[in-house]
Amino acid sequence: MSDPQPSPQSVIAPALDLARVPSHIAIIMDGNGRWAAARGLPRAAGHRAGLEAVRRIIEACREYRVRVLTLYAFSTENWRRPPDEVEALMRLLGEALVDELEDLMEAGVQFRMSGDLDTLEPALRKQVEQVVAVTHDNPNLVLNVAYNYGGRAEIIDAVRRLGRDLASGHIIPQAVDEAVVGRYLYTAGLPDPDLLIRTGGEQRVSNFLLWQIAYTELYFCEVYWPDFDKPHLAAAIAEYQHRRRRFGGIEDA
Ligand code: FPP
């Protein structure tokens, strides 16, 4: 991991082709801890500043007419962090669900969660379920928060449930294809991400959406997540618009 230096902040927003904005953007929001360390602040302050960046990016995604935004907010591996940091992250989610509901409704944002919700504290889980239910019909943007999420755990969970349905005869082995597997994942019903952004300078996928990113364009940037703003998002989308997506073939349209 690199030293906690201030992350590069100034980027000039490039012009975008608004007809070719990715439908689904997924983000690994990395660098909160280093952002805080560079300022002599506790890690929790970095996560709190990260939530401000989440607000800005939701707004920018609405403006660019992105359909789905998936944010990696807490991984199955994050339980290994110090208990006070885990507690701060859980508290932040709870607070955000209360504080943001009105804005989500006003902005027409549908809230979804991908991850193992069974091990969340019952009160937090209930809060999540309520916000999911209340925002269900909002039409503008799906905000899919990956929480207590791990790509391998998601696949194991899907295999178990699919196995049960095969054993009971609910589905026959010959009928199992990519679309069927997709329906057993936490992201059932959502399109695969077109663009995956990772902030904070690391270049790996860290167990995020392993099945879903088979043909996703990857974009890595140095900026720490709390500094990530609309021009950085625009730069990522502009880079995406320069790529040729071939999906294993020889040329796209
Ligand atoms: C990774 O940075 C970030 C996280 C594990 C948490 C992300 C959470 C938020 C941005 C706020 C909550 C968001 C919602 C939607 C409720 P890191 O801590 O690994 O940073 P480092 O690599 O610099 O240590």
Side-chain angles (χ1 to χ4, degrees), residues 184-201:
Y184 284 83
L185 299 173
Y186 301 136
T187 51
L190 297 178
D192 288 342
D194 302 291
L195 173 64
L196 170 65
I197 299 170
R198 182 176 187 143
T199 63

Side-chain angles (χ1 to χ4, degrees), residues 99-110:
D99 295 348
E100 304 305 322
L101 182 56
E102 203 179 315
D103 285 353
L104 292 178
M105 293 308 291
E106 223 165 82
V109 177
Q110 184 193 135

Side-chain angles (χ1 to χ4, degrees), residues 136-159:
H136 184 265
D137 296 325
N138 285 349
N140 294 338
L141 171 73
V142 176
L143 171 63
N144 178 38
V145 173
Y147 215 85
N148 199 15
Y149 175 88
R152 288 185 174 180
E154 176 184 39
I155 291 169
I156 290 167
D157 191 38
V159 168

